[in-house]
Amino acid sequence: MGALRLPSLTSLSSAAAAAVPRHRFCRQLRLPVRRLSVQSSTAEKEIATPRSSAKPKLQEEKDRVITPRSQDFSAWYLDIIANAELADYGPVRGTMVIRPYGYAIWEAIQDYLNVKFKETGHSNMYFPQFIPYSFIEKEASHVEGFSPELALVTIGGGKELEEKLVVRPTSETIVNHMFTQWIHSYRDLPLMINQWANVTRWEMRTKPFVRTLEFLWQEGHTAHATPEEAEKEALQMIDMYTKFAFEQAAIPVIAGRKSKVETFAGASKTYTIEAMMGDRKALQAGTSHNLGQNFSRAFGTQFTDENGQRQHVWQTSWAISTRFVGGIIMTHGDDTGLMLPPNLAPVQVIVVPIWKKADERAEVLDAASSVKETLQAAGVKVKIDDSEQRTPGWKFNFWEMKGVPLRIEIGPRDVSSRSVVVSRRDIPGKQGKVFGISMESSTLVAYIKSKLDEVQSSLLEGAKSFRDSNIVDVSSYDELKEAIAQGKWARGPWSASDKEELKVKEETGATIRCFPFDQPQGPKKCLMTGNPADEVAIFAKSY
Amino acid sequence: MRRALTARFCASFNSWRGGSMSECPPPQVVLFVLYSEFVDLSPWPAKMPTARLRVVVNGEMIEYYDISGCYILRPWAMSIWEVMQTFFDAEIKKMKIKNCYFPLFVSSGVLQKEKDHIEGFAPEVAWVTKSGESELEMPIAIRPTSETVMYPYFSKWIRGHRDLPLRLNQWCNVVRWEFSNPTPFIRSREFLWQEGHTAFATKEEADTEVLDILELYRRIYEEFLAVPVIKGKKSEHEKFAGGLYTTTVEAFVPNTGRGVQGATSHCLGQNFAKMFEINFENEKGEKAMVWQNSWAYTTRTIGVMIMVHGDDKGLVLPPKIASVQVIVIPVPYKDANTQGIFDACDATVKSLNEAGIRAETDFRDNYSPGWKYSHWELKGVPLRIEIGPKDLANNQVRAVRRDNSAKIDIPMADLVCQVKDMLDNIQQSLFDVAKQKRDACIQVVHTWEEFAEALSQKKMILAPWCDEEEVEKDVKTRTKGDMGAAKSLCSPFDQPALPEGTLCFASGKPAKKWTYWGRSY
């Protein structure tokens, strides 16, 4: 519950309080006043005027809402979510309303992955949300892993149900139940499906995007004739996620295999992508499981092979959820607010027209909208902020806080010189600002596109160097403890027991995030026992 | 009798809450006899498998499941939903409507709030009462629709006129725990839909949007699903309870003689704004209430399409929504150049795919060509291409239409061009045929006797009406029977002339408008 800083909305369960409390974030969106020295030549003077009296300034100081990231990461995260209008708290504790700006990021994730899934031969379908409790019980470790967090429906249509129904926490059981009926022979294999759905896990400690009672995800489920094919599929999907994280989200995840302790309930092997957040905690951003024959044995999912023998199928499942949006926020955001990778940003370029005198207005707005149309026609996601109630300075702050990668400023002088000023979100101040970019469409489009690419790769590079400077190679438990105490990730050889892994967790709060695919060469000795080890593991505290 | 799973929410809370089983006989949707050799009917609930239900299973659209009223949408159905989703989503984005997602769970208090205003729908709500082993303090409901979840946030987010319009949409699942005859797509306990919820400063803007959205619904039915619909307004009795007025696209299923509410777009007026205190400061600095709309279409659209086009052989899918538009089947003979035939099939699919046509081959060697023909006909693929030795020799393919079984030989050189034409033609002709059949069911009546006669002939009845709620209730009472009562479907926007002195068919009072009547899903 600690994560839910806002007035708890559980009070809504009383009929009288059905309205959502109006907390301070929503309306009084006052951004920190920024030093105006960084404004463009055209903007400089115009902006200074409206904010002269001392009172509003004081007011703004008081209402400053984004807690600096360095001061309190968790408070910063929640401030960003509220101010950038990514999400709001749902009426039931631990649930979340995903607002259009946050949902658009999820849609960008969906658009990319959905195409990739289909290219690799997966079909979308939809399974019911309710699962008979008896299904969940069939795979022993699965029920053990999930039972504490199951939401159970016991009343429907005013009647006590004969069998309690589970609101799906994941769909392996129902998928297997159906696969058993659909798969008869080797000709029916591989069977590869995906669904985009909501799932529910009754978590006690929640945090918007990162952990909510209900979240959105895609879950892929496949069945194969051989263990080799299943393993290949599980690896193919974790590779797809890795590529997505690097290329689209600019998150340099570390891909690897989970330890036995951390393996998905019911899987033989779990592959994961682990991302380092701005507070250096790890976020499991996507997983792909090789389920072996665990579920097919529990559900009797068999096929007749080419020799007429009955065999159990080999399966995988894999998922990415709205949690990934939280990962993007916590990887790239800074004290100013959100910072979105251009490839996933709902708005890639914000155009801010700047005018002072009434007679300048029309020409500036004309130029701004023609710039907008030029870029839009070239496939750039561009928005124009021509509202007259806000000053350009306020708009600059606002759209920076919303994480828009590029800003174009157009003032009267720019109109006469047929050029614009372009500022990068990722490089604050003058360094990130370039004057005199021609409005001529081919020049402008080429420039903007190359800048978007630059922002995209610079975000990745920035995150990579942050990540690398915070991973420490350790060769003893003491070194591991020290690294974790410093808030870093520890990477060291590991061949010790599950018990010792749990001891590390108890003593340091860190868990094995993964055995990375990318392994150093040479002989290794387990950091805990000194015994020979085949692999290094990465330990970190995590979300 | 339209009941719960109306395309739009609660469409009328009263009707879907209150209807008793006796009012709601199982839909007699026996369209065809089915190929049963490759289906195992045994696991189905005994009362389910009417023929139409079988076609959705055999056509691999849907699968039954252990929980009654919950169905699995298989890829064949899901891809249809996705085509409609892609179209509609792009269109509403052009209108600056934004997608978002509100939670599935509704606290009982919030639900209570709506209950105060509209009669509660508790009888159809599913309740989560436990998490893991522990009992929840308060049971939590699973959304049957999202007004009560969303509107408190509208109240929170809307302050001034600059916050308007607020136009949101969400794609999600909803749950209504009904007990009356579940029917795949048409009435299920969980279904997928989009629900749009918007708020405006003025009634004019709201009015405009209602019709803009309704036009999109018409296009989904007519342009994509090839199902003719009638645009119109619901009667006071049938409108969305709590709203100002409801517009609808009404479809008709000639085989069963029932109307189907295809999708509805409601102007809610200011009733919800009042209830949820959704106020804003207008340009003059005065406090005002917003005007709201809500609108939705569901996976029911797919059910309507199946019922309208399906035939004795199975599904008939309009090309625009078919996930496979052309199935290419090799027809090898003994001693023939089998490899050459297979290569020609591959080449055919390749050129069709390159032209943006969704084509696939069926090379399975354990089924005969004849079996494959039936299989893909059952699945409703609009066009079949057969390639045999003779076709190979003549450098041609044989194309067979699903809708009318017409066969033609197409020279390879003309392949893409002709296939495109044929698909367009199939799309158009499915619509034309459906419209012709629908139009043939429309009967204009002036008197109760004519009405009763037309109803017994399963017509879609157009009658002059006095537009009084009591009269509609009376019609319902008078037509109650095994088949279900008749009710008003809609008053079409496109009104025929109503000469002075025309009397209401039911009450004999002066008629105010022409209205469609009939039995309905």
Side-chain angles (χ1 to χ4, degrees):
Chain A
M1 253 323 276
L4 287 177
R5 241 166 44 113
L6 296 178
S8 153
L9 299 190
T10 42
S11 58
L12 289 184
S13 51
S14 73
V20 176
R22 292 169 180 168
H23 59 74
R24 63 190 173 113
F25 297 156
C26 322
R27 283 292 109 201
Q28 300 160 305
L29 181 61
R30 298 258 158 69
L31 295 155
V33 189
R34 215 161 48 121
R35 288 176 302 282
L36 296 177
S37 57
V38 295
Q39 310 301 356
S40 82
S41 58
T42 37
E44 208 154 351
K45 278 168 197 151
E46 288 95 331
I47 294 160
T49 41
R51 308 257 165 142
S52 44
S53 79
K55 206 183 165 199
K57 240 182 202 168
L58 226 132
Q59 182 72 30
E60 273 154 9
E61 209 57 43
K62 207 179 95 198
D63 286 336
R64 171 190 287 258
V65 287
I66 296 184
T67 311
R69 206 178 86 142
S70 52
Q71 188 186 312
D72 182 344
F73 192 82
S74 182
W76 165 85
Y77 176 72
L78 297 176
D79 287 345
I80 289 209
I81 284 175
N83 282 341
E85 299 177 337
L86 294 168
D88 212 328
Y89 291 87
V92 169
R93 178 198 68 82
T95 62
M96 163 176 79
V97 174
I98 306 177
R99 301 185 67 177
Y101 199 61
Y103 198 81
I105 299 172
W106 178 238
E107 283 184 310
I109 295 173
Q110 284 185 303
D111 288 346
Y112 175 90
L113 290 177
N114 206 31
V115 169
K116 296 286 167 196
F117 295 157
K118 287 183 180 172
E119 279 174 7
T120 42
H122 304 90
S123 304
N124 281 338
M125 57 184 299
Y126 187 75
F127 287 90
Q129 183 174 31
F130 297 122
I131 301 173
Y133 192 79
S134 56
F135 282 24
I136 303 274
E137 288 176 313
K138 281 193 182 174
E139 214 286 334
S141 57
H142 191 65
V143 66
E144 195 190 319
F146 278 102
S147 67
E149 358 181 293
L150 296 178
L152 299 174
V153 173
T154 62
I155 299 172
K159 286 185 194 161
E160 189 86 19
L161 301 178
E162 277 173 32
E163 179 176 14
K164 53 189 173 184
L165 302 178
V166 174
V167 186
R168 69 175 156 232
T170 179
S171 303
E172 277 77 7
T173 54
I174 175 172
V175 165
N176 263 86
H177 178 76
M178 298 325 305
F179 275 16
T180 304
Q181 297 170 43
W182 295 337
I183 295 170
H184 304 289
S185 86
Y186 66 95
R187 294 173 205 278
D188 301 321
L189 298 174
L191 183 54
M192 307 204 289
I193 61 104
N194 176 66
Q195 77 172 349
W196 295 92
N198 54 347
V199 282
T200 299
R201 295 177 189 175
W202 217 264
E203 306 265 7
M204 293 322 288
R205 300 188 51 191
T206 57
K207 193 184 187 81
F209 290 112
V210 172
R211 184 174 289 115
T212 46
L213 295 196
E214 180 200 8
F215 55 93
L216 304 181
W217 77 352
Q218 61 65 216
E219 50 179 322
H221 297 271
T222 66
H224 308 265
T226 66
E228 292 77 24
E229 280 176 67
E231 177 67 7
K232 198 176 148 204
E233 167 78 2
L235 287 172
Q236 164 180 274
M237 298 322 287
I238 204 71
D239 284 349
M240 189 183 288
Y241 291 161
T242 308
K243 199 165 171 233
F244 164 74
F246 273 84
E247 292 177 5
Q248 304 299 311
I251 299 181
V253 293
I254 292 181
R257 190 187 78 253
K258 284 283 183 193
S259 69
K260 212 171 101 211
V261 173
E262 298 285 331
T263 293
F264 174 74
S268 299
K269 275 186 205 164
T270 291
Y271 298 112
T272 177
I273 50 173
E274 297 287 324
M276 185 186 283
M277 302 292 98
D279 60 355
R280 298 179 296 186
K281 278 165 91 174
L283 184 83
Q284 177 179 303
T287 48
S288 176
H289 313 291
N290 182 337
L291 302 173
Q293 294 180 315
N294 299 334
F295 285 91
S296 63
R297 286 183 187 281
F299 285 85
T301 317
Q302 289 180 300
F303 70 102
T304 307
D305 70 13
E306 280 160 294
N307 306 316
Q309 302 292 310
R310 293 294 282 169
Q311 292 203 34
H312 288 99
V313 298
W314 300 84
Q315 291 181 268
T316 77
S317 69
W318 25 274
I320 266 187
S321 74
T322 39
R323 165 176 259 221
F324 208 98
V325 177
I328 292 168
I329 302 167
M330 289 195 284
T331 300
H332 301 303
D334 62 14
D335 285 355
T336 311
L338 191 61
M339 197 182 317
L340 292 174
N343 289 352
L344 296 179
V347 179
Q348 295 171 312
V349 177
I350 182 75
V351 180
V352 180
I354 300 164
W355 70 91
K356 191 175 170 187
K357 296 179 220 135
D359 60 345
E360 294 163 348
R361 182 176 177 274
E363 56 171 19
V364 168
L365 285 182
D366 274 359
S369 66
S370 89
V371 162
K372 183 200 159 190
E373 264 148 40
T374 302
L375 292 174
Q376 204 157 37
V380 176
K381 293 176 191 160
V382 55
K383 189 181 163 74
I384 187 161
D385 185 352
D386 55 4
S387 65
E388 303 199 8
Q389 302 78 44
R390 301 297 188 185
T391 63
W394 189 94
K395 292 177 187 174
F396 291 0
N397 287 335
F398 180 77
W399 293 106
E400 282 180 5
M401 185 273 295
K402 296 265 268 188
V404 174
L406 292 179
R407 176 177 75 232
I408 292 180
E409 304 158 21
I410 303 176
R413 259 181 265 174
D414 302 309
V415 173
S416 50
S417 66
R418 303 284 305 147
S419 69
V420 298
V421 182
V422 178
S423 297
R424 279 171 65 159
R425 169 67 180 87
D426 61 324
I427 306 179
K430 276 183 182 150
Q431 283 112 330
K433 194 183 266 272
V434 178
F435 298 88
I437 305 303
S438 168
M439 278 185 203
E440 193 274 314
S441 95
S442 63
T443 317
L444 183 66
V445 167
Y447 184 83
I448 292 297
K449 286 199 163 167
S450 80
K451 283 293 144 186
L452 288 172
D453 287 346
E454 272 177 45
V455 175
Q456 182 77 29
S457 54
S458 112
L459 287 189
L460 178 63
E461 287 313 312
K464 234 189 225 168
S465 69
F466 179 76
R467 179 198 71 182
D468 291 342
S469 62
N470 284 294
I471 301 180
V472 182
D473 282 308
V474 298
S475 54
S476 70
Y477 188 35
D478 283 342
E479 286 176 16
L480 183 148
K481 282 199 265 194
E482 196 193 327
I484 298 297
Q486 288 171 358
K488 299 192 172 187
W489 291 16
R491 176 173 51 204
W494 184 265
S495 61
S497 66
D498 297 353
K499 213 174 131 195
E500 277 154 320
E501 187 180 334
L502 290 170
K503 178 181 136 189
V504 175
K505 186 178 181 181
E506 269 166 36
E507 293 180 1
T508 68
T511 49
I512 294 184
R513 301 319 304 159
C514 69
F515 294 96
F517 290 141
D518 194 7
Q519 285 283 332
Q521 299 297 308
K524 304 169 192 73
K525 267 193 214 161
C526 176
L527 65 91
M528 184 61 88
T529 62
N531 294 334
D534 291 336
E535 292 172 297
V536 295
I538 290 176
F539 288 81
K541 289 186 179 169
S542 73
Y543 278 100
Chain B
M1 168 85 194
R2 172 185 54 100
R3 289 206 64 256
L5 222 171
T6 48
R8 180 56 201 122
F9 351 93
C10 329
S12 153
F13 282 107
N14 297 326
S15 83
W16 60 268
R17 256 185 341 97
S20 70
M21 293 291 284
S22 64
E23 278 180 304
C24 199
Q28 303 298 314
V29 217
V30 184
L31 291 186
F32 31 71
V33 181
L34 266 206
Y35 303 91
S36 55
E37 74 262 23
F38 61 100
V39 256
D40 175 15
L41 299 179
S42 55
W44 298 357
K47 63 174 183 179
M48 298 296 169
T50 66
R52 195 184 77 76
L53 305 191
R54 278 177 235 166
V55 88
V56 295
V57 178
N58 295 7
E60 295 174 359
M61 298 282 266
I62 231 168
E63 183 73 71
Y64 277 92
Y65 178 49
D66 293 52
I67 302 172
S68 164
C70 291
Y71 306 98
I72 292 154
L73 300 183
R74 301 187 66 175
W76 203 244
M78 202 59 197
S79 60
I80 295 173
W81 183 241
E82 286 179 298
V83 170
M84 291 189 281
Q85 218 178 352
T86 305
F87 162 75
F88 190 79
D89 201 65
E91 290 299 321
I92 60 174
K93 279 180 177 153
K94 282 187 212 159
M95 294 166 69
K96 309 251 186 235
I97 293 160
K98 290 180 173 169
N99 282 336
C100 61
Y101 186 77
F102 282 75
L104 171 74
F105 297 112
V106 191
S107 58
S108 49
V110 167
L111 210 57
Q112 189 72 26
K113 171 118 179 166
E114 180 158 278
K115 199 176 168 185
D116 292 344
H117 186 77
I118 308 163
E119 292 190 316
F121 49 96
E124 292 191 350
V125 171
W127 293 93
V128 175
T129 60
K130 280 183 170 181
S131 65
E133 289 307 303
S134 30
E135 295 283 331
L136 297 178
E137 272 177 43
M138 293 282 277
I140 289 171
I142 294 181
R143 66 176 160 230
T145 175
S146 300
E147 284 80 2
T148 54
V149 185
M150 287 183 158
Y151 295 166
Y153 292 88
F154 277 49
S155 166
K156 177 180 166 180
W157 295 336
I158 295 169
R159 281 288 163 278
H161 59 92
R162 289 183 201 105
D163 299 322
L164 295 174
L166 179 61
R167 305 173 87 182
L168 300 179
N169 176 65
Q170 73 177 3
W171 296 94
C172 65
N173 59 339
V174 284
V175 171
R176 293 178 191 171
W177 212 262
E178 300 184 67
F179 289 97
S180 60
N181 317 284
T183 310
F185 296 115
I186 299 294
R187 187 179 298 122
S188 54
R189 285 177 171 173
E190 180 193 4
F191 56 92
L192 302 181
W193 75 353
Q194 62 67 218
E195 50 178 326
H197 296 267
T198 56
F200 300 89
T202 65
K203 180 167 183 294
E204 291 66 37
E205 290 169 88
D207 286 337
T208 306
E209 188 200 65
V210 165
L211 294 182
D212 289 347
I213 294 292
L214 195 68
E215 171 62 9
L216 292 181
Y217 291 154
R218 183 199 65 79
R219 291 180 62 192
I220 286 177
Y221 273 101
E222 298 198 337
E223 294 177 12
F224 285 81
L225 301 171
V227 171
V229 289
I230 292 168
K231 277 185 181 181
K233 201 170 163 181
K234 285 283 181 188
S235 69
E236 278 302 298
H237 188 66
E238 292 292 331
K239 78 174 186 186
F240 174 57
L244 189 61
Y245 63 88
T246 292
T247 65
T248 178
V249 287
E250 292 286 322
F252 191 77
V253 182
N255 299 57
T256 61
R258 283 174 191 272
V260 190
Q261 179 174 295
T264 45
S265 177
H266 312 286
C267 179
L268 302 179
Q270 296 185 307
N271 299 337
F272 285 86
K274 195 172 169 193
M275 173 164 57
F276 288 92
E277 295 171 19
I278 312 174
N279 303 315
F280 70 103
E281 197 181 276
N282 67 19
E283 275 153 321
K284 294 172 205 149
E286 299 156 350
K287 193 176 138 185
M289 271 192 294
V290 299
W291 293 85
Q292 286 177 277
N293 292 341
S294 70
W295 28 271
Y297 78 91
T298 76
T299 35
R300 165 180 267 216
T301 45
I302 299 172
V304 175
M305 179 273 291
I306 294 169
M307 292 197 290
V308 167
H309 300 305
D311 65 15
D312 290 355
K313 293 181 190 168
L315 299 168
V316 180
L317 300 181
K320 268 200 179 178
I321 49 94
S323 66
V324 175
Q325 297 170 314
V326 180
I327 185 72
V328 179
I329 297 174
V331 192
Y333 281 94
K334 256 188 280 176
D335 308 326
N337 177 2
T338 308
Q339 191 54 47
I341 291 173
F342 277 57
D343 291 347
C345 289
D346 273 332
T348 302
V349 164
K350 190 162 173 267
S351 22
L352 293 175
N353 285 346
E354 278 164 6
I357 296 165
R358 299 187 287 270
E360 279 181 14
T361 53
D362 183 350
F363 283 164
R364 289 178 291 180
D365 55 13
N366 57 326
Y367 294 115
S368 69
W371 187 95
K372 290 177 186 175
Y373 297 169
S374 314
H375 174 74
W376 293 104
E377 282 174 354
L378 169 61
K379 290 189 61 139
V381 173
L383 197 63
R384 175 174 82 231
I385 286 182
E386 307 164 5
I387 303 180
K390 198 179 119 225
D391 303 303
L392 195 62
N394 296 341
N395 206 19
Q396 65 179 34
V397 300
R398 162 154 289 199
V400 185
R401 281 170 62 148
R402 172 67 181 87
D403 62 329
N404 62 9
S405 307
K407 295 183 171 106
I408 63 160
D409 292 330
I410 304 176
M412 278 303 265
D414 285 349
L415 178 75
V416 168
C417 186
Q418 286 214 34
V419 167
K420 266 193 175 161
D421 279 354
M422 285 181 88
L423 291 175
D424 288 348
N425 199 284
I426 293 169
Q427 182 80 29
Q428 187 60 44
S429 116
L430 281 177
F431 178 79
D432 293 344
V433 169
K435 186 162 186 302
Q436 212 175 18
K437 283 189 190 160
R438 196 272 321 266
D439 289 348
C441 290
I442 294 176
Q443 177 91 42
V444 178
V445 306
H446 287 87
T447 64
W448 181 259
E449 289 67 34
E450 287 171 7
F451 176 81
E453 173 60 19
L455 192 64
S456 73
Q457 292 170 3
K458 298 182 176 178
K459 297 289 187 187
M460 187 183 197
I461 304 159
L462 185 60
W465 182 38
C466 62
D467 196 12
E468 285 177 19
E469 203 169 344
E470 284 311 310
V471 174
E472 177 164 12
K473 284 183 191 163
D474 187 49
V475 171
K476 276 191 158 177
T477 319
R478 289 162 75 186
T479 55
K480 223 173 220 174
D482 291 347
M483 296 285 292
K487 63 180 183 182
S488 72
L489 304 174
C490 72
S491 298
F493 292 148
D494 189 8
Q495 284 277 325
L498 189 68
E500 189 94 11
T502 307
L503 300 179
C504 170
F505 77 101
S507 68
K509 296 177 189 172
K512 291 189 182 139
K513 53 165 72 156
W514 289 95
T515 299
Y516 282 103
W517 297 78
R519 295 198 178 90
S520 140
Y521 282 99

